[in-house]
Amino acid sequence: MARAASLFSLSLLLCLMPLVAGYSISTLLETTVPLAGDGHSNGGASNGRELYYFSLKHRDAPNSPFLQRYSSRHELLQTVLQRDEERAKSFLEHIVQRRARQATGMVTEKGFVAMDSGSPPDPRSQQTGDAGVLLPPAGAGEYYTELYVGTPRQLQVAMVDLGSDVVWLGEAPSRLQKRRIDGDAVNSHFYPSSSSSFTPIPARSEPCLTVDGIHVCGNAKSCRVLVGTEDHYTGALEFAYEDIRLNRTHHHKGSVMANIMITISKTPIPTGGVLGLGLGKTSFATQMGSNHIANKFAYCLSDTDEPSGSSLVFNAGEDDPHLEFTPLVTHPHITTFHFVNLIAITVNNIKLPIPSKVLQLHNQGEGGTIIDMSTRFSRFPKSAFDHIMKAFKSHIDLPTILVPGFHLCYSMANSDILRVPSLTLVFQNNARMRLPMENLFVSASEQGDVMCLAMVPTSPGTPTVIGSTQQQNFLMVVDRGRSRVGFAPRQCASLPNL
Ligand SMILES: *[C@@H]1O[C@H](CO)[C@@H](O)[C@H](O)[C@H]1NC(C)=O
């Protein structure tokens, strides 16, 4: 078996996991640490709860550690389109893999794949897995945050990702371990041996068993889980508890330490770290919820050209009177992603003739609509996209121009203003997201004389994705406690205090 061979080449021994009773990850809010000079700390409570504020920065913002040099805006956009495409494929791969594992009974009640080189899976374990996404989907990260992790603190960059279920830090190569740690130098590597609060989780311990995936046993003392696909495992993640500092408000009126299950990996990932906000058991958002710190969060993304002003706030948002809510939809195979039910699209208040099955989530787990922060441009099934394009074309009287990767672009050479019809995404419960011009078209040239529709068609089977351009200047609320997502128009940059 190819699978067995690849496992043996890693010299790992896998163990059969017993079914264990459910319990929550034992994360605690430990100490309250007022920052120097702060007398009091009640900087912005919402419903009697503290707000925890994360400042988000865009990967293409000045000073971003991810900033790349592009010869032109055109080249930058090509890279973005490519990244979005890979991410969409990666969503589908995660779903298809999970479906295949469930069909073969390889996933147990707790989501473990029970394997011991060749013996058939235990029939008792043929249950639906509740498996999380440990390997962040490709392209994870349009927005990042800077976190203080460990004792003494180490400043880490982490991509904020609605589609991942881990707090992932890249472990520094061991030969660098002795280097002096400067707590305020941004580092994409974490040095666990330099942190006194780093607490490995023992293999087979209860917290370890909450982690979905194939556990490495053998003589491993710490909790380790394989990542990669069943044909090709690319490495192992090690799970531990570590302290992460949470800022109380954007004014930094004090902060608290939260003891969070994190994972470190010697396999570098291009994003540095990942702060996963997925719906799976080991994501940062789930841990915040299961420890009664916050079971909801809000985010607000300002324009990508805006260096600051985007934010992620736990325990915030629900008091905006303009919020419209739509339920989160349970996917038959995967828990991680934020699926919602997009039921219609209107252009200038006229409903496009898209058959409802085109936008639906299918029984086999294909289709459906994901709210994502790490995809730049929304993606729609081809037939829905064609209707959108047709409607726009009939309303816009400007010369079109071809730009690779995009499907509808206008030359603005002889006009200063682009007048576009309004487009509204209508979600279940009649929650309407009316997109203004800036969320619909993107400038595709340095001079700003080419404007392209900031949406693309998807390949068959891949989910519809609502991307970050479409969510800009909306307050987005993920209310996990009530299993719903809300949104309301909001100028994110001028209103950092959610
Ligand atoms: C918390 O506040 C500090 C100090 O201003 C800042 O450097 C850090 O990035 C903030 N953390 C987050 C997650 O926004």
Side-chain angles (χ1 to χ4, degrees):
M1 272 168 84
R3 183 187 293 137
S6 68
L7 290 174
F8 283 122
S9 69
L10 284 172
S11 318
L12 302 172
L13 193 65
L14 302 174
C15 45
L16 282 160
M17 284 296 157
L19 297 176
V20 292
Y23 69 95
S24 69
I25 299 168
S26 64
T27 314
L28 302 168
L29 252 189
E30 286 193 335
T31 39
T32 300
V33 190
L35 292 183
D38 290 330
H40 48 87
S41 59
N42 195 10
S46 173
N47 288 350
R49 286 246 168 123
E50 291 287 350
L51 303 183
Y52 298 107
Y53 185 91
F54 295 76
S55 153
L56 301 186
K57 291 174 191 157
H58 194 266
R59 65 181 300 148
D60 296 334
N63 302 328
S64 157
F66 304 99
L67 193 63
Q68 286 171 33
R69 287 196 186 284
Y70 296 103
S71 60
S72 61
R73 180 155 176 88
H74 176 75
E75 193 186 280
L76 177 144
L77 291 173
Q78 294 307 308
T79 311
V80 171
L81 287 163
Q82 181 68 37
R83 203 164 53 223
D84 281 359
E85 172 88 36
E86 277 163 21
R87 185 163 172 87
K89 277 194 202 136
S90 171
F91 283 145
L92 187 60
E93 272 163 23
H94 275 287
I95 291 163
V96 169
Q97 259 182 36
R98 201 56 47 78
R99 184 174 68 203
R101 281 193 206 166
Q102 286 171 0
T104 55
M106 297 290 273
V107 179
T108 69
E109 187 185 333
K110 299 299 290 179
F112 296 110
V113 177
M115 289 172 45
D116 63 347
S117 56
S119 69
D122 182 341
R124 279 171 312 165
S125 68
Q126 295 193 4
Q127 309 250 357
T128 304
D130 184 17
V133 172
L134 303 183
L135 193 66
E142 281 265 296
Y143 292 87
Y144 69 93
T145 190
E146 290 174 3
L147 297 171
Y148 284 123
V149 183
T151 315
R153 65 192 193 181
Q154 297 180 37
L155 189 57
Q156 299 285 301
V157 281
M159 282 295 185
V160 175
D161 187 9
L162 287 168
S164 309
D165 287 329
V166 277
V167 180
W168 181 330
L169 305 174
E171 187 183 354
S174 52
R175 64 192 159 81
L176 294 176
Q177 299 264 335
K178 287 209 180 71
R179 217 193 63 158
R180 204 177 72 88
I181 305 299
D182 176 355
D184 287 321
V186 178
N187 209 311
S188 58
H189 288 310
F190 180 65
Y191 298 80
S193 61
S194 303
S195 170
S196 61
S197 47
F198 181 82
T199 313
I201 293 171
R204 292 168 183 264
S205 64
E206 285 210 350
C208 183
L209 294 179
T210 56
V211 182
D212 297 315
I214 303 173
H215 286 237
V216 182
C217 302
N219 54 8
K221 287 206 180 59
S222 58
C223 180
R224 292 172 69 206
V225 178
L226 294 180
V227 287
T229 64
E230 272 154 45
D231 303 326
H232 180 62
Y233 292 103
T234 47
L237 298 176
E238 188 178 329
F239 287 81
Y241 283 115
E242 185 53 287
D243 286 344
I244 295 183
R245 188 177 294 253
L246 308 176
N247 288 339
R248 278 207 167 112
T249 70
H250 74 294
H251 304 301
H252 312 300
K253 288 193 177 146
S255 59
V256 295
M257 297 298 253
N259 194 236
I260 296 287
M261 184 195 266
I262 62 154
T263 179
I264 54 171
S265 163
K266 285 203 163 61
T267 313
I269 48 169
T271 52
V274 173
L275 191 75
L277 299 181
L279 293 162
K281 286 174 288 187
T282 49
S283 81
F284 181 71
T286 304
Q287 294 190 57
M288 292 285 280
S290 55
N291 293 288
H292 312 289
I293 302 171
N295 208 14
K296 61 167 79 87
F297 60 86
Y299 60 92
C300 202
L301 309 175
S302 60
D303 294 292
T304 51
D305 300 333
E306 199 78 49
S308 65
S310 300
S311 49
L312 163 71
V313 190
F314 280 83
N315 275 336
E318 79 279 12
D319 40 12
D320 187 312
H322 302 293
L323 278 175
E324 302 199 26
F325 284 97
T326 192
L328 282 164
V329 171
T330 306
H331 190 277
H333 304 300
I334 202 151
T335 42
T336 311
F337 309 136
H338 295 80
F339 274 94
V340 290
N341 199 357
L342 176 64
I343 52 177
I345 300 172
T346 70
V347 169
N348 276 1
N349 295 324
I350 311 276
K351 188 176 165 200
L352 300 179
I354 303 167
S356 62
K357 70 173 195 318
V358 169
L359 298 171
Q360 268 165 16
L361 174 63
H362 301 284
N363 292 341
Q364 286 298 299
E366 292 182 358
T369 301
I370 295 178
I371 305 272
D372 192 34
M373 213 194 270
S374 312
T375 298
R376 183 98 49 110
F377 303 126
S378 290
R379 312 174 72 83
F380 296 94
K382 175 93 172 58
S383 64
F385 182 78
D386 286 346
H387 282 294
I388 296 174
M389 242 181 24
K390 197 170 152 211
F392 273 96
K393 276 185 179 161
S394 73
H395 282 96
I396 302 173
D397 187 21
L398 281 173
T400 56
I401 181 170
L402 284 177
V403 177
F406 288 102
H407 296 258
L408 182 62
C409 299
Y410 290 101
S411 163
M412 303 287 295
N414 297 310
S415 44
D416 299 337
I417 191 157
L418 178 65
R419 279 186 211 287
V420 307
S422 73
L423 182 145
T424 303
L425 301 171
V426 185
F427 298 93
Q428 188 180 336
N429 283 4
N430 202 27
R432 291 168 172 265
M433 190 173 196
R434 187 176 180 282
L435 302 179
M437 146 75 195
E438 306 79 65
N439 294 30
L440 292 170
F441 278 81
V442 58
S443 162
S445 70
E446 274 76 18
Q447 301 77 18
D449 56 357
V450 176
M451 297 295 280
C452 294
L453 180 61
M455 298 175 173
V456 298
T458 51
S459 347
T462 52
T464 297
V465 184
I466 308 302
S468 64
T469 304
Q470 279 63 43
Q471 296 172 56
Q472 273 172 25
N473 292 320
F474 274 92
L475 169 66
M476 302 293 298
V477 176
V478 179
D479 182 353
R480 299 163 49 106
R482 295 174 71 177
S483 193
R484 59 185 190 161
V485 174
F487 42 81
R490 187 86 164 233
Q491 285 304 315
C492 301
S494 64
L495 277 174
N497 195 3
L498 280 171

